[in-house]
Amino acid sequence: MNDANRPSHCSITKFSISNDELLIGGIPISHLAMRVGSTPFYAYDRKIMTEQVDLLRRQLPKEIQLHYAMKANPMPAVVQHLSKIVDGIDVASQKEMLVALDTGLAADNISFAGPGKSNSELTSAIAAGVVINVESARELNAIQTIGQTIGIKPKVALRINPNFELKGSSMKMGGGPKQFGIDAEKVPDILKEINPLHFEFEGFHIFSGSQNLRADSIADAQEKALDLAYELAPFAPTAIKSVNIGGGFGIPYFPGDLRLDTELIGQKLVEKIPETKKRLPSAKIIIELGRFLVGESGVYVCKILEKKISRGQIYLIVDGGLHHHLAATGNFGQILRKNFPVAVGNRMHSKQKEIVSVVGPLCTPLDLLADKMELAKAEEGDLVVIFQSGAYGFTASPHNFLSHPPPKEVLV
Ligand SMILES: *Cc1c(COP(=O)(O)O)cnc(C)c1O
């Protein structure tokens, strides 16, 4: 079968099937639903997260440190699991920082990024001893003042808005004008303001984009990030201790999406290591990933409340929807709505199929989880499963919209 014709759920192969039932963490979906006690729920399979980390450990050079960007999935149990197998955690709010610290990971290995950090967030981060990825000159001044006031030397890295883009990314977060980071051309002047008496200078953070499936584009951005770090290092007050070269590793969601060639990314990085060791001898090199580590481990499960036929079209009305899983309805930054991979979790081998739309209980046409998809012929009470739901699901959805109860979450 050529790649363009692969079924939309090429990605569901990460889960196995037994007796017609999808297994999550080895548990048949109907049993898992009973264990959780109610639908809808998110379930995350820890083994799949571990396998993603293992894959990168095999394919990337041993010098690369892996960080988990926890905004993708901040469930404390998930963060706890990942904290044991990655080298650090990147947080983007004070609350995320507290969850990361709860894991027991050393504060040195936690970094805090994001524009517009408040004085209260900065105080908390300085007191905790985490590395602050500084996003502006204003923030650097505030950090210095707070550090002096409370008598703790802040650890800072400069987040740089690079002079290049990550090509082929659906979400660009660097290059051109951006609210993130400090424009690369301003960095030499800002580095002059970092007095080692007042700061512990860590290095650079260069993040250019998200959800990219093109290994050549990612390798190109990583190379440019390292080149930029070489170029800026001579302006730094002390030796560079770390360079975070971003992430952006995508996962397949839609028909025709091919898995990212992480092996190629690894090979390109291997070529860059000797020069990096020469030019940044004391720097650790960090890659930060959210979605790639957790996205494929997660499913969102809801129950069919009603099967309704309107002028010949079949609707499966389920107890979950847009308020729990905004991304699956195509409303989380997507330009064109496409169906996530979906299946009837208790009829995985069913030969009887029909074209249906899966909709939620919200009184809006936006509440569409699957649009005219071929699924196993289903009945009321069956479990609909949405794959690729481990990242930007639960916390990236407007739970209060229409005032239905929130979903549950389990790690298995
Ligand atoms: C959101 C974010 C990430 C994670 O992006 P993924 O696509 O989930 O890997 C990493 N770094 C920064 C700075 C981010 O803002």
Side-chain angles (χ1 to χ4, degrees):
M1 198 184 305
N2 85 34
D3 290 318
N5 296 332
R6 266 157 75 174
S8 61
H9 25 285
C10 65
S11 46
I12 71 175
T13 54
K14 295 226 178 234
F15 294 94
S16 41
I17 297 167
S18 166
N19 292 331
D20 229 14
E21 290 224 24
L22 187 72
L23 302 178
I24 311 290
I27 307 165
I29 188 105
S30 62
H31 293 178
L32 184 61
M34 286 181 242
R35 161 170 149 177
V36 174
S38 62
T39 51
F41 62 89
Y42 278 93
Y44 314 115
D45 186 332
R46 74 183 80 224
K47 186 161 154 272
I48 294 177
M49 293 177 202
T50 304
E51 284 167 2
Q52 292 293 84
V53 172
D54 288 348
L55 175 81
L56 297 176
R57 298 287 191 198
R58 279 198 309 278
Q59 293 184 337
L60 302 183
K62 63 179 187 317
E63 289 83 359
I64 298 291
Q65 303 222 341
L66 274 184
H67 279 205
Y68 175 48
M70 69 174 271
K71 79 168 187 281
N73 187 331
M75 184 197 189
V78 167
V79 179
Q80 186 78 36
H81 174 67
L82 284 168
S83 73
K84 304 292 179 253
I85 52 178
V86 298
D87 304 297
I89 298 180
D90 295 327
V91 304
S93 72
Q94 194 253 0
K95 191 171 170 194
E96 283 193 358
M97 183 189 84
L98 294 181
V99 172
L101 287 165
D102 280 349
T103 65
L105 202 71
D108 283 353
N109 298 325
I110 298 173
S111 59
F112 187 166
K117 296 183 202 74
S118 69
N119 282 350
S120 128
E121 284 178 308
L122 292 172
T123 305
S124 188
I126 296 165
V130 307
V131 177
I132 303 173
N133 290 335
V134 180
E135 309 251 353
S136 69
R138 190 274 314 167
E139 208 170 279
L140 188 68
N141 286 333
I143 292 167
Q144 178 167 339
T145 308
I146 296 167
Q148 283 174 306
T149 310
I150 65 177
I152 299 175
K153 215 186 212 192
K155 297 194 190 94
V156 295
L158 292 189
R159 177 166 180 184
I160 303 173
N161 174 22
N163 43 4
F164 58 85
E165 286 189 344
L166 176 54
K167 294 186 197 88
S169 232
S170 55
M171 220 180 269
K172 288 190 175 47
M173 289 175 69
K178 287 284 176 298
Q179 74 267 50
F180 310 108
I182 300 164
D183 294 343
E185 56 279 14
K186 291 185 190 147
V187 169
D189 281 339
I190 300 224
L191 283 168
K192 284 187 205 131
E193 290 171 36
I194 302 184
N195 182 339
L197 285 175
H198 302 307
F199 295 99
E200 238 174 82
F201 180 68
E202 294 289 325
F204 303 122
H205 175 215
I206 308 166
F207 180 78
S208 45
S210 200
Q211 179 48 23
N212 200 305
L213 290 172
R214 284 167 47 184
D216 54 341
S217 302
I218 291 178
D220 177 61
Q222 289 177 335
E223 183 175 9
K224 286 178 176 155
L226 285 168
D227 289 340
L228 184 58
Y230 305 158
E231 210 179 291
L232 293 171
F235 298 97
T238 49
I240 307 294
K241 289 196 241 172
S242 72
V243 179
N244 181 330
I245 58 173
F249 293 23
I251 60 169
Y253 286 98
F254 307 118
D257 281 358
L258 296 183
R259 277 183 196 289
L260 179 65
D261 184 354
T262 41
E263 196 175 359
L264 181 73
I265 294 173
Q267 285 162 0
K268 294 282 183 190
L269 277 171
V270 166
E271 293 169 16
K272 203 70 184 163
I273 295 289
E275 190 184 2
T276 305
K277 282 188 171 158
K278 208 166 80 204
R279 304 195 57 172
L280 305 168
S282 44
K284 53 183 186 188
I285 311 164
I286 299 166
I287 289 181
E288 57 178 352
L289 302 172
R291 181 191 320 263
F292 189 84
L293 301 185
V294 293
E296 297 197 69
S297 77
V299 290
Y300 173 64
V301 182
C302 41
K303 194 169 70 195
I304 301 174
L305 297 172
E306 187 176 327
K307 192 167 177 176
K308 181 171 179 176
I309 299 175
S310 167
R311 304 203 164 116
Q313 196 176 322
I314 305 170
Y315 289 90
L316 301 178
I317 304 179
V318 295
D319 58 359
L322 168 150
H323 53 314
H324 296 167
H325 200 333
L326 190 66
T329 64
N331 293 298
F332 188 60
Q334 295 99 324
I335 296 159
L336 283 176
R337 193 198 170 285
K338 293 186 207 165
N339 290 327
F340 268 46
V342 176
V344 180
N346 54 314
R347 297 182 191 271
M348 295 302 291
H349 288 312
S350 176
K351 297 259 176 329
Q352 268 190 299
K353 309 264 183 199
E354 57 190 6
I355 308 274
V356 298
S357 290
V358 179
V359 298
L362 304 191
C363 205
T364 160
L366 298 177
D367 195 6
L368 178 61
L369 290 168
D371 187 22
K372 300 186 195 77
M373 253 182 125
E374 189 181 72
L375 296 183
K377 190 163 188 270
E379 299 303 332
E380 287 167 16
D382 283 347
L383 297 170
V384 170
V385 177
I386 301 182
F387 296 94
Q388 310 303 75
S389 298
Y392 306 105
F394 185 93
T395 58
S397 301
H399 293 178
N400 291 332
F401 187 38
L402 274 284
S403 303
H404 286 275
K408 292 188 176 170
E409 269 187 308
V410 282
L411 174 65
V412 291

